[in-house]
Amino acid sequence: MRKAILPLSLSVLLAVILISLGTDQVFLALRAFFIAPLSNPFYLTSMISLASLLLLSGSGISLAFSAGSFNLGGEGQSYAGGLAPAFLMLLMGSRMEAWMAPLILLLGILTAMLVSGVQGWAAAELKNRLSIDPLISTFLLSSALLPFMDSLIIGPLRDQESNLLSMPRIPEFLRLPALPSLPRIHLGILLSLAAWAAVMLWYHHSRRGFEVKMAGANADFARFMGLPVGRLLSLVMIVSAALHGLAGFIALVGVQHAAVVGFTAGIGWNGIAVSLIGGNRLRNLPVSALIFAYLITASNAAMVFTDFSFELSTVIQASVFLLISVDFAWRRNGFALLKSRLFPTSGEALK
């Protein structure tokens, strides 16, 4: 976490500069940016709700990274994790009754994790059978599925009675229970924490989790020790994708209440930044998710309270992502390169 302090500080500084240049109401905008997310009930609850979704997607990214792999398909996995249960509820239609709500929600969670997990399994199989890196396969699979799923929402599944590009709204009795006065504080937050805790326990306190660590640290050594590296990769990619799917389900049933085009709002991509802020360590993710959610919420608050003419939150998200990635890559490769230049080995000195 300490390694992320400088990139985060630079991102906040960039936000302050953009606020100063982008509006005549500088004091009001800065006050909204720094204070509103912590004092305004709407923004505070929105920040907590968003952090719970980022906790899941960040956990999926960190888990894949710990196994020596990558998952860049989080956006498509989250989208499928929300769309599949919405389609299931649409099929059930009038047959749904209030007393069935717990069973339908449980079925929706399992459906979301299954549909998304299949994407992770497919990426692992491509790696195991054809040596196609998950970095490529997850991204391409997600990029192919997103426009297809959008076309379903816009086309045959669209709610003809709504002016939005959306499927029909989920009945109230199927929405995740929430506090009456604070509707964004819903059961999905507890589900996110429970899923993160379960992954933490599995990864740090189980035999299979230890094997995943070993395979991620040195796959050749793990094979030499007789570990099923291919199966471990499949397991990790399935769990990683399933966590994204659960995030999409919570975003739909707990927040949006309808499959609107773009309802995931960057959960998958932002999960990468959350994981990088936390140093790709599961135990750091609750804090890093809150930090990133704060920056997004603060940017939105500054835009609402003033006369900004551009999407400040998108700029801040991009800057955090870029600076964290550059810092991470430099710490991984830059120091090694600098060391080789200052203290070359005999072979390097002859070149």
Side-chain angles (χ1 to χ4, degrees):
M1 285 291 292
R2 287 179 295 179
K3 297 177 182 179
I5 292 177
L6 178 59
L8 289 174
S9 300
L10 291 175
S11 298
V12 173
L13 178 60
L14 174 63
V16 172
I17 293 174
L18 291 175
I19 288 172
S20 301
L21 297 176
T23 180
D24 296 330
Q25 303 168 297
V26 177
F27 176 76
L28 182 60
L30 290 176
R31 185 177 182 277
F33 184 86
F34 287 105
I35 298 178
L38 302 177
S39 60
N40 185 295
F42 173 80
Y43 289 110
L44 179 60
T45 55
S46 297
M47 180 181 72
I48 295 172
S49 178
L50 176 59
S52 68
L53 301 178
L54 295 177
L55 176 61
L56 287 172
S57 59
S59 297
I61 298 298
S62 294
L63 189 61
F65 188 84
S66 69
S69 185
F70 296 91
N71 183 3
L72 295 186
E75 196 65 23
Q77 293 157 13
S78 300
Y79 216 87
L83 184 60
F87 179 66
L88 179 67
M89 294 174 186
L90 181 62
L91 285 179
M92 297 182 69
S94 59
R95 291 181 293 238
M96 296 185 297
E97 298 182 15
W99 65 270
M100 300 170 60
L103 293 176
I104 296 174
L105 287 174
L106 178 59
L107 181 60
I109 291 174
L110 295 176
T111 301
M113 298 181 74
L114 176 63
V115 171
S116 301
V118 167
Q119 298 182 48
W121 171 81
E125 285 297 298
L126 289 172
K127 171 64 175 178
N128 293 332
R129 297 179 183 275
L130 301 176
S131 298
I132 299 176
D133 198 311
L135 178 71
I136 302 298
S137 58
T138 53
F139 174 75
L140 293 180
L141 184 59
S142 174
S143 299
L145 287 176
L146 282 170
F148 170 72
M149 290 186 287
D150 276 342
S151 68
L152 292 177
I153 297 175
I154 296 172
L157 302 182
R158 182 179 177 182
D159 183 5
Q160 300 300 325
E161 299 179 359
S162 173
N163 293 325
L164 300 175
L165 298 178
S166 167
M167 290 176 60
R169 295 183 66 80
I170 296 172
E172 287 193 20
F173 67 87
L174 287 179
R175 300 172 188 177
L176 292 177
L179 296 178
S181 57
L182 299 172
R184 290 186 176 268
I185 303 300
H186 48 74
L187 183 61
I189 296 172
L190 295 181
L191 286 177
S192 298
L193 290 172
W196 167 79
V199 171
M200 279 279 293
L201 288 173
W202 174 77
Y203 182 72
H204 289 293
H205 301 286
S206 72
R207 174 184 172 182
R208 192 64 73 186
F210 177 76
E211 291 175 351
V212 167
K213 291 181 192 177
M214 186 179 295
N218 193 323
D220 293 332
F221 178 76
R223 290 191 185 93
F224 177 77
M225 295 298 294
L227 296 182
V229 175
R231 280 187 289 171
L232 290 174
L233 175 63
S234 296
L235 175 62
V236 168
M237 293 302 294
I238 289 171
V239 175
S240 172
L243 289 171
H244 282 91
L246 181 58
F249 172 82
I250 294 173
L252 178 83
V253 182
V255 181
Q256 301 290 349
H257 304 147
V260 184
V261 169
F263 68 91
T264 53
I267 294 173
W269 288 114
N270 291 335
I272 300 174
V274 168
S275 180
L276 291 174
I277 291 172
N280 294 307
R281 297 177 183 271
L282 287 168
R283 65 172 179 267
N284 294 336
L285 295 186
V287 176
S288 62
L290 277 172
I291 291 173
F292 198 78
Y294 170 85
L295 289 174
I296 295 176
T297 307
S299 302
N300 291 333
M303 291 171 56
V304 169
F305 282 99
T306 57
D307 55 351
F308 267 102
S309 59
F310 57 87
E311 189 72 23
L312 179 62
S313 62
T314 302
V315 175
I316 300 304
Q317 291 176 55
S319 66
V320 171
F321 193 97
L322 177 63
L323 292 171
I324 289 288
S325 300
V326 169
D327 182 71
F328 177 77
W330 168 254
R331 290 179 185 278
R332 249 193 122 178
N333 304 316
F335 287 132
L337 179 62
L338 183 61
K339 180 182 177 181
S340 67
R341 292 291 181 266
L342 295 177
F343 307 102
T345 61
S346 57
E348 291 173 332
L350 293 175
K351 293 181 180 179

